Amino acid sequence: EAEVAQSPRYKITEKSQAVAFWCDPISGHATLYWYRQILGQGPELLVQFQDESVVDDSQLPKDRFSAERLKGVDSTLKIQPAELGDSAMYLCASSSGGPNEQYFGPGTRLTVT
Amino acid sequence: AQSVTQPDIHITVSEGASLELRCNYSYGATPYLFWYVQSPGQGLQLLLKYFSGDTLVQGIKGFEAEFKRSQSSFNLRKPSVHWSDAAEYFCAVGAREYGNKLVFGAGTILRVKS
């Protein structure tokens, strides 16, 4: 069964450093999402791509976060500089579009020290 | 604004007992609804979904949920809980009018005692 791949699974970084996460969605899924999940809370959407275009980044802290999906396939989420409050699980999901279910990857657990 | 409320942060049930997890939503559009489950340190797995039609939907692992428009609820049920059901459960709501993005509740942690 096809899965969403994410790497790394765990990342520890010092504040003010740069960090990047990678996501490879299920083949053929045009829509890709990045979520942030703070401990004890539900996932919150950071950015949504349709193919290579951003369709929603209203909750993305654009002063430090960036996301790209250059060829409309895999995607990278970057934080620079990282802050203590960025410690969270970063989840990637993909779907075939529309009101279809989103398939989630295993996530990247980020700890900022 | 769209919101999802899961009133119970923690629930503990005995193995073999029935389970109901509550979910209420506030949405300015016709919603579609999901329940996801998350084991510690893992991603989210879809249990079931409701788009339209029959308001009682069946999912994986013996779970079901009922959509009640008049109560803005989508409660998750299971007649007999197994120890392996211990996990965190998230209700999520989306709508085409809001670009199909999902809004999640804060989750309910299920503990199963033997």
Side-chain angles (χ1 to χ4, degrees):
Chain A
E1 182 177 311
E3 296 180 341
V4 176
Q6 287 188 250
S7 67
R9 290 293 310 276
Y10 304 93
K11 180 70 177 179
I12 300 174
T13 191
E14 295 182 348
K15 64 180 181 179
S16 79
Q17 295 299 304
V19 64
F21 315 129
W22 177 79
C23 172
D24 191 13
I26 292 173
S27 178
H29 280 189
T31 310
L32 184 147
Y33 310 82
W34 283 102
Y35 289 88
R36 177 171 60 186
Q37 185 180 20
I38 296 170
L39 192 63
Q41 299 182 20
E44 179 187 32
L45 182 69
L46 291 174
V47 62
Q48 176 182 345
F49 289 92
Q50 181 67 31
D51 298 309
E52 66 275 10
S53 300
V54 173
V55 296
D56 188 342
D57 62 357
S58 57
Q59 300 303 309
L60 188 71
K62 298 181 187 64
D63 57 335
R64 298 185 300 107
F65 285 63
S66 64
E68 61 182 16
R69 193 184 184 198
L70 293 177
K71 296 183 179 179
V73 181
D74 58 338
S75 175
T76 301
L77 178 69
K78 297 178 181 177
I79 308 175
Q80 183 174 13
E83 295 180 352
L84 294 177
D86 295 332
S87 294
M89 174 80 90
Y90 290 83
L91 294 163
C92 179
S94 70
S95 80
S96 53
N100 292 306
E101 62 263 35
Q102 297 179 21
Y103 294 86
F104 283 81
T108 296
R109 168 71 67 187
L110 173 66
T111 302
V112 182
T113 62
Chain B
Q2 309 95 52
S3 66
V4 179
T5 301
Q6 294 181 244
D8 304 304
I9 299 175
H10 297 98
I11 282 186
T12 300
V13 299
S14 298
E15 191 169 16
S18 64
L19 170 71
E20 183 170 31
L21 302 181
R22 295 182 290 165
C23 173
N24 294 95
Y25 64 90
S26 173
Y27 233 66
T30 302
Y32 44 87
L33 301 122
F34 303 88
W35 275 99
Y36 284 88
V37 61
Q38 186 178 37
S39 297
Q42 300 298 314
L44 280 72
Q45 180 185 22
L46 180 70
L47 286 176
L48 48 77
K49 60 188 177 185
Y50 172 78
F51 290 159
S52 63
D54 192 347
T55 56
L56 183 64
V57 293
Q58 302 297 320
I60 62 171
K61 303 184 181 185
F63 285 92
E64 67 177 26
E66 186 171 12
F67 172 58
K68 293 185 177 180
R69 185 184 300 274
S70 61
Q71 299 177 20
S72 298
S73 69
F74 189 56
N75 294 349
L76 182 71
R77 301 193 294 249
K78 186 171 185 177
S80 177
V81 169
H82 188 263
W83 64 267
S84 61
D85 293 325
E88 189 161 16
Y89 292 79
F90 293 94
C91 179
V93 182
R96 197 183 300 273
E97 292 85 345
Y98 296 117
N100 299 310
K101 75 174 189 181
L102 295 184
V103 175
F104 284 83
T108 298
I109 296 172
L110 173 64
R111 299 189 178 116
V112 180
K113 59 181 181 181
S114 57

